[in-house]
Amino acid sequence: MSPALPDADLPWLGRAALFASGRDALVALVRWGAENRGWRRVWLPSYNCPEVPDALLAAVGGAVELRAYPDADLEAPPNLVSVPVEAGDALVVVNQLGVRPPSDAGPARRRGAAVIEDHSHDPASSWARESRADYAFASLRKTLPIPDGGAVWSPQGGRLPAEPEPGADAGARRAARLAAGLEGRHAPPAADGRLRFRALARAAAGSAEPTPGAAISPVSRALLPQMPVRSWREGRRQNLETLAEAAAPASGLRVLVAAEGGVAFALALVFDDAAARSAAQRALTARAVAPAVLWPLDPARDWGAGPADADLSSRILLVHGDQRFGAEDMRRLASILRDTLRG
C-alpha cells in the first residue's frame, strides 16, 4: 500500500492497491470479485475507452459476462436507474472527462449489485474523495506526470485484490513515458518540428505500454506521495478557464463544463456536426496544436458502442491545458483557439 499524501490531496491513496495501469487495476478487481464475491456480469458505459472492455474480455471474458448500458450524455449524471442490474452484477460508473456530477447508485446497490467508479480523469474531485461506492479505481498517469500507475480502493473499506509482484519491465516504460513528457510545455511552436517530435514520443510511449498485470514501477510508487496534486489540479483549472473563455463565444459548439467539485481533464468541445469538428481539428493541427478525440468509436469495431456514442465521438475534440502550460503558453493557445473557432 502507498503512504498517504501529507495534505490529503488523494485521501484514498493510503488504502489503495497499486498497479501499472488503471486497466490492470480494474481487471484485477473484476477477477477478484468473480472469485470472492460471485460477480458474473459487469456493466460498462457504452461511451468508454475501447481498451477497457478489450482488456476485460481478454482477461476474464470466460468467467464474467460483459454488458453495455447507454451513457453518451456526458453533461448529465450517469442514468443508472434504467440499468437492469441484479445480485451478482458489478456496475462500472465513469466520470468521463472529469466533467460529470455524481450519480445516485443507491438503487443499483439495493438490487444487490456492486458499484465501481472510474475516477481516472479527475482522481482528486470531491466525487472521488467523498465516494460511497463499493470500489473505485483510477489510471493515475492520465493526470499525473508519472511513467505508469493505476489504483483501486474501496470507499466502503472492503477487501482489495493483491498488488502484483514487482516486475522487470519498468525501465523501458519509464524512459518512453519521460520522453513523451518532454512535450510538456507544448503550446504551439513556430515550426512543425515539435509535431514530428510529438509523434515520435507518442509512438515510444505506446510501444512501452505496461505488460498486462504488471506492478507499478518503483519510480511511480516513490513519486506519488510527493506530488503537489492540489496545486497542479488548480493550475489545470485556471488554464482551462482561459481556454474556455477563448472558445465559448464561438457558434456551432459548446464547451463541457465540470460539475461542482470537479476539474475537467481537458477543454472538451462538442461541435454541432462532425464536419465542423474535423475542420477545427485540421486547423489546430496545422498550427502545431495537438487536439485529441476521446474516443473515436465505431459500433462495427468497438465493443458496446452504439450510434449515439459514435455520433458524439465524431463531434468531440479535446485541447489539453494542464500544469505543464504556463501563462504565456495559455495566451498563445487561447489566441489560436479564437482564430480557429471564430474564423
Side-chain angles (χ1 to χ4, degrees):
M1 299 294 177
S2 175
L5 287 169
D7 55 356
D9 291 351
L10 301 176
W12 46 259
L13 183 60
R15 59 182 188 273
L18 300 181
F19 295 80
S21 71
R23 290 193 303 276
D24 284 339
L26 178 60
V27 166
L29 177 61
V30 170
R31 182 182 286 120
W32 180 89
E35 295 172 353
N36 294 276
R37 294 197 54 182
W39 296 348
R40 291 295 172 260
R41 292 194 304 183
V42 174
W43 295 82
L44 297 173
S46 58
Y47 192 84
N48 200 1
C49 173
E51 295 175 357
V52 173
D54 288 350
L56 285 171
L57 288 168
V60 296
V64 176
E65 178 187 1
L66 292 193
R67 293 283 188 93
Y69 65 90
D71 190 37
D73 184 359
L74 303 188
E75 296 177 277
N79 181 11
L80 306 180
V81 175
S82 61
V83 185
V85 296
E86 56 190 42
D89 289 358
L91 175 63
V92 179
V93 183
V94 185
N95 182 11
Q96 298 289 24
L97 309 183
V99 301
R100 307 187 81 172
S103 59
D104 180 11
R109 296 187 69 195
R110 287 191 289 273
R111 293 200 295 269
V115 175
I116 304 169
E117 293 175 351
D118 180 353
H119 291 288
S120 296
H121 286 157
D122 192 8
S125 69
S126 59
W127 182 3
R129 289 184 282 108
E130 300 165 8
S131 171
R132 300 303 299 161
D134 296 282
Y135 300 95
F137 74 99
S139 174
L140 302 176
R141 58 183 178 154
K142 292 284 194 301
T143 57
L144 299 176
I146 51 178
D148 60 0
V152 61
W153 68 97
S154 172
Q156 298 289 336
R159 292 172 54 208
L160 296 173
E163 293 184 354
E165 292 295 322
D169 69 337
R173 227 170 41 235
R174 179 169 64 250
R177 295 294 298 182
L178 293 179
L182 291 176
E183 293 184 74
R185 301 167 64 81
H186 64 290
D192 67 355
R194 183 69 68 86
L195 285 176
R196 289 194 295 272
F197 171 76
R198 284 183 209 155
L200 292 171
R202 288 197 179 100
S207 66
E209 281 292 302
T211 302
I216 190 172
S217 63
V219 66
S220 292
R221 184 184 291 273
L223 286 173
L224 272 172
Q226 315 302 323
M227 291 186 161
V229 176
R230 184 177 305 168
S231 62
W232 284 345
R233 185 170 177 266
E234 175 61 17
R236 184 169 84 245
R237 185 191 66 78
Q238 294 178 3
N239 286 347
L240 294 181
E241 282 187 355
T242 299
L243 297 184
E245 290 173 1
S251 61
L253 63 84
R254 67 186 189 277
V255 176
L256 300 188
V257 178
E260 183 178 356
V263 174
F265 175 63
L267 178 73
L269 306 173
V270 178
F271 292 79
D272 289 349
D273 59 76
R277 194 286 302 273
S278 296
Q281 187 174 13
R282 290 192 299 270
L284 290 170
T285 301
R287 297 191 64 176
V289 177
V293 176
L294 296 186
W295 293 268
L297 297 175
D298 180 352
R301 178 194 65 214
D302 299 310
W303 181 94
D309 309 294
D311 175 64
L312 176 59
S313 75
S314 73
R315 296 184 293 109
I316 197 167
L317 196 64
L318 273 69
V319 179
H320 289 282
D322 58 39
Q323 72 276 357
R324 297 170 297 174
F325 295 78
E328 179 58 27
D329 296 328
M330 285 296 98
R331 284 191 288 271
R332 295 169 63 200
L333 186 50
S335 176
I336 287 176
L337 276 177
R338 279 190 291 270
D339 292 346
T340 300
L341 300 178
R342 301 183 200 177

